[in-house]
Amino acid sequence: PLKGNYFKPFRKIIKAAEHFEDTTTLAILYWKITKTYSESNIIRRGKWEQDKNGRWRQVNIKKLVLAIVDGRYRYVPLQEELKKTNSTFGFTSKTKNYLQKRFARILFRSGDAANPQFTKLAAAYLLQSDDANIKTAYTETRYSYVRNNRTGRWESIRNYIYYPNQWDNAILYRLIYDKHEQVHISSTGNSVQVNAAKANLGEERTECFPELWDKSPLETVLLLAQSNNNIVQQFAGRIFDDNEAFADAVQPSDIVNMLAKPYDRTKQIAIQTVQQQYERFTSESGVFLALLDSNIEAAVQLAINWLKQNKTQLLEDYHFITEMILHPNTIAQQWINDAVAHPSYKNKATLLEHLLHYIDNCQEDDFLEKILAFIQKRLHQAAQQTTREQLKALVQHPSQKIQVFAAQLMQDHHIPVAQLPYQLIMQLMSSEHNDVRAAGIELFGLLPDEKLYQERIAVTNCCVSPSPEVRAAIRPTVLRLSEAYPDFGQALTKTLSDFLLMRGKANEVHDFIAHLLTALEMMPFIIALPRRKMNRLLQSKKYPAQQVGFAILEATTDASELEIEAIVELGKHELKDVREWAQQCILSQKERAIYEADKTLRLLETDWEDSRKFMMDFAVKEFQERDWTPKLLVSLCDSVRDEVQAFGLEQIQQYLNEENTPQFLEQLSQHPSARVQKLAAEWLDKHASNKLEMLKDLSPFFLTLLSQINKGRVAKEYVYQFLEKEALRSPE
């Protein structure tokens, strides 16, 4: 940093660079000087005295600087501060101006002396400028005042001063536009002005010492290849166009750099150079990859023609093939795909070895995906011949995509999985990445059944893995092993069913276990579970456990062996499959269900609407008048559910007659529901009006209803009205 105690060694470095004529270092140092803000100026303090003429002047002047003393900023004498080995002061504005002028003097004096070092130092300096860090153009307004001789008034005149891009880089403008009429350097040499806003500085060469630039092809090409400044690029382009021989100095790396620049003129120079000296670049694959990258039609066509002419040679360059595989240009990708896929290409094994070595050192996910896709599509047969060492390197690669790819290679390898290193499979299975573990499990499942049977604990652990990929991969293995080894299937079923009954909420693992245990291959094992375990599974709060319990129920239970109460309870089950199974049991045993109607109708008290609807439809379709006893019908009205009460009342209305009316009314009058009592009272008009004998039989009903305290008011009013109307019919 250009401050304080660092400035003395910095100054010595400058002296050394000047002595050894190290132009690159000098340019870097002076550019840093130009772009670094100087420290505060020195202040002068003294005693003011009045001389004999009455004028005031300062005497005993001392130079002071702001420095840190005891952790605080204070003004101290300049000489004392500079003598310190840890001085915090040094790079003042005066020093900065001096060093800038010193560099300009060194630079332009070398030009005056026609020293070849001029273009080297100038080019090194111009390379420091970057379009990303420049001061942009602006306009400054200034006013001057002129007295109007006619009116005697002072009038203002508005003047504009135009500052172009990089107006603070006076040396750059002196180097490039020294002879341009519209460019003016300020008297201080710190800023640049132009005569008019957006002035067109043109395509003419106006630099200082053009004869030296015409003798400097290397520096000109260096500017084109490495500069990131538009003004510098245009300047170098003009020099290059005026000197055709400069094309001989362009190296392949220069072409690549020029094509990567965002400047159209620079790209065109590179393309023209390749076209003019095509033979010189035919062995440089990087040049033609850069042509493809340029997205310029002429450049792309030039590269395509080059690919066609040098196909045999290029296919022996594996680094070039790798670049083509990774190239974003679709033409390049299609060319390399067709070339490698052609039957005449015999180096697939060597190419695969090179790509695998590239993978070992690659960390870019996009590049890895492209390489892997190419191997799987174009080098699949060669990949089946990979060595154990190559497989080991792939498995140990930090990228999970490569590890999955390694598992796929092991699966398709010409050597059976059982003969591949077992530790590689275990390493994949223990990966922290889900997809890698799944690939390892899938590979693990390809081992011989004898080996898997020995590793049955590992197989069981995979079934309860939190990774869905691992569970999905082990499922085929589990089903195959269960068929081959019944004792394995039996032990696994017991372990997994116990897992379902453990406390805790159901999750994806429980769903997987239910799906696994209800598979066709596992049915012989789950139906062998004890009956009490089936009941525990059905009564579990976990949906997966209920599924397994129902599978056992459906496979092992004959409806005729169950009591109606048990079937009704199953009809109230949380699992819909169980409820539907219970409903089918009732339909298959209609006579028994109707005979035990008092038990069957308890299904109406379930919380599940589908079971209630089923029971109502069954009763309407299957029950006859003889099957409905008053007690049974009234029991429906005892339900706390409104829809069941309504169903019961509807059935009572349908089957009510003179014989059973007293019994119905007597029982309904004692019903706690006001709705039922009111309906019973309303039925008097329909079934008991003008029937003296029936009224005598209904005396208990009237006494019961009218004796109730603080309830049944609406029903009582109906009865009072009915009795009054009937009393007026006859004295009896």
Side-chain angles (χ1 to χ4, degrees), residues 158-175:
R158 184 180 298 175
N159 300 304
Y160 296 99
I161 300 177
Y162 303 104
Y163 295 89
N165 284 330
Q166 306 179 68
W167 54 267
D168 61 328
N169 196 340
I171 292 181
L172 180 144
Y173 275 89
R174 285 186 64 183
L175 287 171

Side-chain angles (χ1 to χ4, degrees), residues 43 63 78 86 88 94 164 181 191 217 254 285 316 329 389 484 490 512 545 554 626 628 632 693 717:
I43 65 170
K63 297 180 181 180
L78 173 62
N86 60 344
T88 59
K94 185 176 180 180
E181 296 178 353
S191 62
D254 297 326
S285 58
E316 295 177 355
N329 188 287
E389 289 72 19
Q490 184 178 1
F512 170 80
E554 187 178 34
R626 66 178 181 272
W628 289 110
L632 198 60
E693 293 301 323
E717 290 181 358

Side-chain angles (χ1 to χ4, degrees), residues 544-727:
Q546 295 171 3
Q547 286 181 304
V548 176
F550 170 67
I552 302 173
L553 174 73
E554 187 178 34
T556 62
T557 305
D558 186 355
S560 61
E561 299 175 356
L562 294 177
E563 299 291 339
I564 288 296
E565 293 95 329
I567 297 176
V568 169
E569 287 302 314
L570 292 173
K572 298 178 182 180
H573 198 275
E574 181 181 356
L575 192 65
K576 185 177 181 181
D577 291 340
V578 177
R579 297 198 301 272
E580 292 178 348
W581 184 84
Q583 293 167 13
Q584 292 300 319
C585 289
I586 293 175
L587 291 176
S588 64
Q589 303 180 82
K590 295 179 182 178
E591 294 78 6
R592 187 156 73 103
I594 296 172
Y595 181 76
E596 300 184 52
D598 57 332
K599 300 175 182 177
T600 307
L601 289 174
R602 292 175 189 171
L603 189 56
L604 291 170
E605 297 307 316
T606 180
D607 292 333
W608 302 100
E609 184 179 358
D610 59 325
S611 289
R612 294 198 300 271
K613 186 176 183 303
F614 164 79
M615 194 67 254
M616 291 178 187
D617 292 342
F618 180 80
V620 170
K621 294 178 181 178
E622 304 298 338
F623 279 43
Q624 304 297 323
E625 182 177 357
R626 66 178 181 272
D627 301 321
W628 289 110
T629 64
K631 182 179 179 181
L632 198 60
L633 289 169
V634 172
S635 68
L636 297 178
C637 297
D638 290 337
S639 174
V640 296
R641 301 182 184 277
D642 292 340
E643 58 179 319
V644 178
Q645 280 188 14
F647 175 72
L649 294 175
E650 181 182 349
Q651 300 307 311
I652 290 175
Q653 286 179 316
Q654 181 175 352
Y655 295 108
L656 192 67
N657 53 45
E658 293 184 3
E659 295 178 1
N660 57 25
T661 294
Q663 184 179 0
F664 272 124
L665 293 179
E666 181 179 359
Q667 293 186 14
L668 292 177
S669 66
Q670 302 177 31
H671 199 278
S673 171
R675 175 185 175 187
V676 175
Q677 293 180 9
K678 176 183 175 183
L679 187 59
E682 290 175 345
W683 283 343
L684 293 172
D685 284 333
K686 298 180 181 179
H687 301 284
S689 180
N690 200 23
K691 296 179 180 178
L692 184 59
E693 293 301 323
M694 183 178 290
L695 291 179
K696 291 179 180 180
D697 295 336
L698 291 175
S699 293
F701 163 70
F702 295 132
L703 289 173
T704 301
L705 178 63
L706 298 176
S707 300
Q708 294 179 3
I709 300 174
N710 294 332
K711 60 181 180 179
R713 181 178 61 82
V714 176
K716 289 178 183 178
E717 290 181 358
Y718 273 100
V719 168
Y720 280 130
Q721 293 173 7
F722 172 76
L723 290 178
E724 181 181 6
K725 182 174 65 174
E726 292 301 316

Side-chain angles (χ1 to χ4, degrees), residues 496-512:
L496 296 184
S497 60
D498 289 340
F499 185 88
L500 290 176
L501 293 173
M502 292 173 63
R503 292 183 179 181
K505 295 182 179 180
N507 53 37
E508 295 179 352
V509 177
H510 296 86
D511 292 335
F512 170 80

Side-chain angles (χ1 to χ4, degrees), residues 119-120 123 127 212-226 236 239-240 245-251 254:
T119 53
K120 293 181 179 179
L127 284 176
L212 295 180
W213 285 108
D214 290 339
K215 298 177 182 179
S216 306
L218 295 179
E219 286 73 25
T220 304
V221 174
L222 180 67
L223 292 177
L224 289 171
Q226 297 188 15
I239 298 174
F240 191 92
F246 279 16
D248 296 336
V250 179
Q251 300 300 315
D254 297 326

Side-chain angles (χ1 to χ4, degrees), residues 30 39 43 152 164 176 239 303 305 333 381 401 409 456 460 536 552 566 689 699 714:
Y30 280 110
E39 295 171 321
I43 65 170
I176 299 177
I239 298 174
N305 294 336
Q333 295 176 3
Q381 292 183 351
K401 295 178 181 178
L409 283 185
R456 52 186 176 274
T460 304
R536 289 181 62 194
I552 302 173
S689 180
S699 293
V714 176

Side-chain angles (χ1 to χ4, degrees), residues 171-433:
I171 292 181
L172 180 144
Y173 275 89
R174 285 186 64 183
L175 287 171
I176 299 177
Y177 297 109
D178 182 63
K179 299 177 183 178
H180 204 291
E181 296 178 353
Q182 292 185 336
V183 177
H184 302 282
I185 310 297
S186 67
S187 58
T188 60
N190 293 328
S191 62
V192 180
Q193 303 169 8
V194 294
N195 287 342
K198 298 181 181 179
N200 181 12
L201 300 181
E203 286 295 315
E204 295 183 2
R205 292 177 58 182
T206 57
E207 74 272 12
C208 59
F209 312 116
E211 65 282 359
L212 295 180
W213 285 108
D214 290 339
K215 298 177 182 179
S216 306
L218 295 179
E219 286 73 25
T220 304
V221 174
L222 180 67
L223 292 177
L224 289 171
Q226 297 188 15
S227 174
N228 294 315
N229 185 290
N230 184 46
I231 294 177
V232 175
Q233 285 285 345
Q234 297 300 322
F235 162 66
R238 291 193 290 270
I239 298 174
F240 191 92
D241 290 342
D242 286 350
N243 296 272
E244 295 182 1
F246 279 16
D248 296 336
V250 179
Q251 300 300 315
S253 59
D254 297 326
I255 296 293
V256 174
N257 291 331
M258 291 164 67
L259 289 171
K261 297 296 179 185
Y263 312 108
D264 293 339
R265 180 173 190 166
T266 305
K267 291 182 179 181
Q268 290 299 331
I269 289 174
I271 296 171
Q272 291 172 6
T273 302
V274 176
Q275 289 174 335
Q276 294 169 4
Q277 302 188 10
Y278 182 81
E279 294 299 328
R280 189 159 68 91
F281 295 104
T282 52
S283 61
E284 301 294 337
S285 58
V287 171
F288 292 91
L289 288 172
L291 290 171
L292 284 173
D293 286 333
S294 67
N295 293 324
I296 300 175
E297 184 177 355
V300 174
Q301 190 59 48
L302 185 63
I304 293 173
N305 294 336
W306 175 77
L307 289 173
K308 294 177 180 178
Q309 295 175 15
N310 299 275
K311 179 178 179 180
T312 303
Q313 174 188 349
L314 293 174
L315 290 179
E316 295 177 355
D317 185 348
Y318 301 116
H319 292 285
F320 173 75
I321 294 177
T322 305
E323 292 292 336
M324 293 293 283
I325 295 172
L326 300 176
H327 203 283
N329 188 287
T330 55
I331 298 176
Q333 295 176 3
Q334 187 61 44
W335 182 86
I336 195 63
N337 281 325
D338 294 343
V340 174
H342 198 274
S344 61
Y345 187 68
K346 305 299 183 181
N347 298 331
K348 292 184 178 181
T350 309
L351 174 60
L352 175 64
E353 183 178 357
H354 172 80
L355 293 178
L356 292 178
H357 180 72
Y358 176 86
I359 286 174
D360 286 341
N361 303 288
C362 180
Q363 302 295 333
E364 296 289 338
D365 286 344
D366 293 342
F367 290 174
L368 288 175
E369 287 183 3
K370 290 183 177 180
I371 294 293
L372 295 181
F374 183 85
I375 293 175
Q376 291 170 338
K377 187 175 181 180
R378 301 300 179 192
L379 303 174
H380 182 70
Q381 292 183 351
Q384 295 176 353
Q385 307 294 324
T386 50
T387 64
R388 288 178 170 84
E389 289 72 19
Q390 290 172 332
L391 290 175
K392 181 179 179 181
L394 293 173
V395 170
Q396 295 176 349
H397 196 279
S399 171
Q400 61 189 74
K401 295 178 181 178
I402 299 301
Q403 295 173 8
V404 172
F405 173 69
Q408 294 172 350
L409 283 185
M410 294 171 69
Q411 185 172 342
D412 298 335
H413 208 276
H414 74 285
I415 300 176
V417 175
Q419 298 179 21
L420 292 174
Y422 181 66
Q423 60 271 22
L424 295 183
I425 301 176
M426 298 306 296
Q427 188 172 344
L428 292 170
M429 291 174 61
S430 60
S431 172
E432 61 181 3
H433 304 294

